[in-house]
């Protein structure tokens, strides 16, 4: 059986104030083409379908169009909810969808597999929606006291909750023999989180889950981390299909094509997806970033400009966008760092003998150790001389 593992579409997310809907539609359109070309049997989407619990109408339109297009290839589709999704809103239309498109949002159903057969027999798909411990405790009253894990402890963490959920899934596996695929949304131990995400990667209370929790499944399709990762041959993250932060710019976009053999063996192939607009970080003096050579190379890219001049520039974003229409972020990170000063700023002021020295101490204090330049020193002296002359004439 051929299974395409994707996740973290985040439909409706913005990129530094810019809509990503058109770019995501382009990428998901290519994903549909790949499903057709590789004769995929099942597409699994491991959570965070939407970026918000209250998505706009245009986000629902893109989701519906994509699911229908995937189904039209002949593939079946299984979608689970993530921590960004509203399970209720994502699940409300599940009954309206045609046969072959399943949306799993109810934690009470995780022990009942979605069964899809091929020539080698049934494959059991167990979808685990994002589980908020405080919410799902009420549903599991058959594990000792209400909502306890196998050790009798209340379900308070993601690790405890998913351990209990996988206990339910393994019971389902025993009741329904065959090859098994688990779909979940979590922060698994050993993953390399993306640096620089606009929102903390553990947002929504997601804490670390041991990989051993998923023992027993032939393949585990995980979502939540935005970069592809293989924790084991059988446990993988596909990452997001679109870059949503500059911290992701060097991570490839795509999905895993899983060939599940008759004996449960897994053969994984990475399918690259196109990047509608590259992300680049340009670092150096502002004049160098604005040079004709740099502009020619990156004019059509999303740009994060990190300028290293000692002093901040006036309106750097305006200047950058005149050259780079898609400059999304500008940061000032001077290469020159202030020398450690044993005395406090107030002590330096007390020991300054002249107004000129006091002004220079202030400038060094607020400008990362950079005192007055020679030209600024001339201006300071002129102002102080004019002041002294004005006071003498009073």
């Amino acid at each position: 059986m051929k299974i395409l593992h994707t996740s973290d579409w985040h439909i409706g997310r913005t990129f530094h104030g810019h809509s990503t809907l058109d770019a995501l539609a382009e990428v998901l359109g290519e994903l549909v083409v790949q499903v057709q070309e590789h004769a995929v049997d099942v597409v699994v989407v491991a959570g965070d379908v939407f970026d918000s619990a209250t998505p706009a109408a245009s986000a629902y339109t893109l989701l519906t169009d994509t699911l229908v297009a995937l189904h039209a290839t002949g593939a079946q589709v299984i979608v689970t909810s993530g921590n960004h999704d509203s399970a209720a809103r994502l699940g409300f239309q599940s009954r309206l969808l045609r046969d072959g498109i399943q949306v799993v949002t109810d934690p009470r159903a995780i022990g009942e597999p979605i069964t899809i057969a091929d020539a080698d027999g049934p494959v059991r798909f167990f979808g685990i929606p994002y589980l908020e411990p405080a919410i799902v405790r009420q549903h599991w009253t058959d594990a000792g006291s209400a909502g306890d894990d196998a050790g009798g402890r209340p379900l308070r963490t993601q690790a405890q909750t998913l351990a209990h959920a996988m206990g339910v899934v393994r019971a389902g596996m025993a009741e329904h023999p065959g090859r098994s695929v688990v779909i979940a949304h979590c922060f698994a131990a050993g993953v390399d989180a993306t640096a620089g995400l606009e929102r903390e990667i553990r947002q929504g209370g997601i804490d670390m889950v041991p990989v051993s929790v998923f023992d027993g499944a032939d393949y585990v399709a995980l979502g939540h981390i935005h970069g592809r990762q293989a924790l084991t041959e059988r446990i993988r993250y596909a990452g997001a299909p679109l870059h949503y932060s500059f911290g992701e710019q060097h991570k490839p976009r795509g999905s895993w094509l899983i060939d599940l053999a008759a004996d449960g063996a897994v053969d994984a192939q990475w399918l690259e997806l196109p990047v509608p607009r590259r992300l680049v970080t340009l670092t150096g003096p502002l004049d160098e970033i604005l040079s004709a050579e740099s502009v020619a190379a990156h004019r059509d890219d999303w740009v994060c400009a990190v300028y290293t001049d000692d002093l901040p520039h006036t309106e750097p974003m305006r200047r950058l966008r005149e050259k780079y229409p898609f400059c999304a972020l500008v940061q000032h990170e001077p290469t020159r760092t202030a020398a450690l000063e044993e005395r406090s700023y107030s002590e330096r002021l007390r020991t300054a003998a002249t107004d000129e020295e006091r002004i220079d101490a202030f400038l060094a204090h607020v400008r990362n150790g950079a005192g007055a330049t020679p030209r600024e020193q001339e201006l300071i002296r002129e102002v102080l001389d004019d002041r002294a002359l004005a006071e003498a004439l009073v």
Side-chain angles (χ1 to χ4, degrees), residues 81-83 128-137 140 149 154-166 184-188 202-210 213-214 223-224 237:
S81 53
N83 61 303
I128 304 178
Y130 170 65
L131 302 175
E132 181 64 55
I135 295 175
V136 299
R137 281 198 295 265
W140 287 324
D149 67 4
L155 302 180
R156 300 191 183 280
T157 68
Q158 279 287 301
Q160 294 167 349
T161 304
L162 269 172
H164 179 82
M166 279 302 299
H185 195 85
C186 68
F187 187 77
R202 300 189 191 187
Q203 180 189 359
I206 294 185
D207 54 322
M208 195 169 291
V209 176
V213 161
F214 298 105
H224 185 52
Y237 284 97

Side-chain angles (χ1 to χ4, degrees), residues 66-91:
T66 303
L67 293 181
V68 169
L70 287 170
H71 184 265
T73 67
Q76 299 202 46
V77 185
I78 303 173
V79 181
T80 62
S81 53
N83 61 303
H84 279 255
D85 300 309
S86 163
R89 287 187 171 88
L90 183 60

Side-chain angles (χ1 to χ4, degrees), residues 170-326:
R170 278 186 281 270
M173 291 178 185
E175 187 176 347
H176 305 279
R179 292 163 290 168
S180 58
V181 175
V182 171
I183 310 162
H185 195 85
C186 68
F187 187 77
V191 300
D192 177 22
T194 301
L197 274 179
E198 296 90 345
R199 283 174 279 186
E200 169 58 37
I201 197 69
R202 300 189 191 187
Q203 180 189 359
I206 294 185
D207 54 322
M208 195 169 291
V209 176
V211 172
S212 60
V213 161
F214 298 105
D215 287 351
D218 290 311
Y219 182 71
V220 180
L222 294 179
H224 185 52
I225 301 301
H226 284 198
R228 71 173 183 190
Q229 294 191 45
L231 303 182
T232 71
E233 281 301 308
R234 297 177 181 272
I235 304 175
R236 295 172 184 266
Y237 284 97
L242 197 65
H243 290 117
Y244 288 114
S245 81
F246 284 100
E248 302 171 8
Q249 68 188 65
H250 300 301
K251 296 186 176 182
R253 304 288 85 171
S255 53
W256 289 111
L257 179 61
I258 303 300
D259 196 334
L260 189 63
D263 61 356
V266 168
D267 179 53
Q269 176 187 353
W270 178 252
L271 299 183
E272 199 89 14
L273 282 170
V275 177
R277 191 178 304 283
R278 291 188 309 163
L279 279 69
V280 296
T281 299
L282 305 179
T283 304
L286 188 59
D287 288 344
E288 180 180 302
I289 293 174
L290 292 170
S291 67
E293 181 181 2
S294 180
V295 171
H298 302 293
R299 179 176 176 79
D300 294 325
D301 298 337
W302 286 117
V303 170
C304 169
V306 182
Y307 71 94
T308 58
D309 305 69
D310 289 341
L311 301 178
H313 285 263
T314 302
E315 297 184 314
M317 180 61 88
R318 179 188 59 78
R319 295 178 60 190
L320 285 159
R321 283 189 173 165
E322 288 174 352
K323 303 288 187 179
Y324 300 100
F326 303 101

Side-chain angles (χ1 to χ4, degrees), residues 95-114:
R95 292 186 180 181
L96 304 177
L97 296 171
R98 61 198 67 191
D99 291 340
I101 302 177
Q102 305 277 350
V103 180
V104 182
T105 61
D106 187 350
R108 293 169 295 186
I110 63 175
E112 289 296 322
I114 297 168

